[in-house]
Amino acid sequence: MKRQFLALSIVTPNGTRIAEGIKTLEVRSWVPTRLPVKDLLIVENRNFLNKDIDEEEGVAVALVDVDSVHSGRNDEIEPACASAWSEGYFAWALSNIRPLRQPVKVLVKRKIYQVELDLP
């Protein structure tokens, strides 16, 4: 049975790092319109999407919950799997990470978007 999911694209290899529980913070310049975000589908893709019209094919790798967002800190580089820290960004705390048993091809868009999937 198909179900609607909110999805977020993550450039490779960080979608896999989230699915493996290595990356527990996602850093963005914006915040979700409401919290918590439950069952957020993490979709890994190859390229940064810079324009709202940008799309490409990706692979859904995990479901996560985003319970809180806070101003990013310079001591959070490791859990964010980042190479540097910049002021003005937000850290999304990822919890309840559930890797998908079988990755599924999904269209990738910017920001949080909706997809319809049939997941077991």
Side-chain angles (χ1 to χ4, degrees), residues 3-120:
R3 181 177 158 203
Q4 293 282 333
F5 290 93
L6 293 177
L8 181 69
S9 68
I10 308 284
V11 175
T12 188
N14 284 319
T16 299
R17 289 177 178 157
I18 289 170
E20 293 172 347
I22 297 167
K23 180 175 169 65
T24 57
L25 289 177
E26 174 57 20
V27 176
R28 296 280 164 147
S29 62
W30 53 278
V31 298
T33 55
R34 61 187 164 123
L35 290 171
V37 181
K38 300 291 186 185
D39 298 328
L40 180 65
L41 187 68
I42 300 299
V43 183
E44 188 172 70
N45 63 303
R46 296 193 181 276
N47 300 296
F48 286 101
L49 305 179
N50 297 314
K51 298 176 188 159
D52 287 339
I53 60 170
D54 289 349
E55 295 180 352
E56 69 177 58
E57 187 175 82
V59 178
V61 295
L63 288 169
V64 304
D65 295 341
V66 180
D67 292 316
S68 65
V69 174
H70 61 270
S71 293
R73 301 186 314 260
N74 63 355
D75 64 341
E76 295 178 321
I77 291 173
E78 188 175 326
C81 294
S83 56
W85 173 78
S86 295
E87 197 167 326
Y89 284 82
F90 300 94
W92 300 22
L94 307 178
S95 64
N96 193 20
I97 298 168
R98 291 148 285 153
L100 298 184
R101 290 187 188 119
Q102 186 154 357
V104 179
K105 289 184 180 180
V106 176
L107 183 66
V108 174
K109 298 181 181 184
R110 288 196 69 208
K111 305 264 180 166
I112 292 177
Y113 60 100
Q114 280 198 329
V115 297
E116 187 176 71
L117 283 182
D118 188 8
L119 292 180

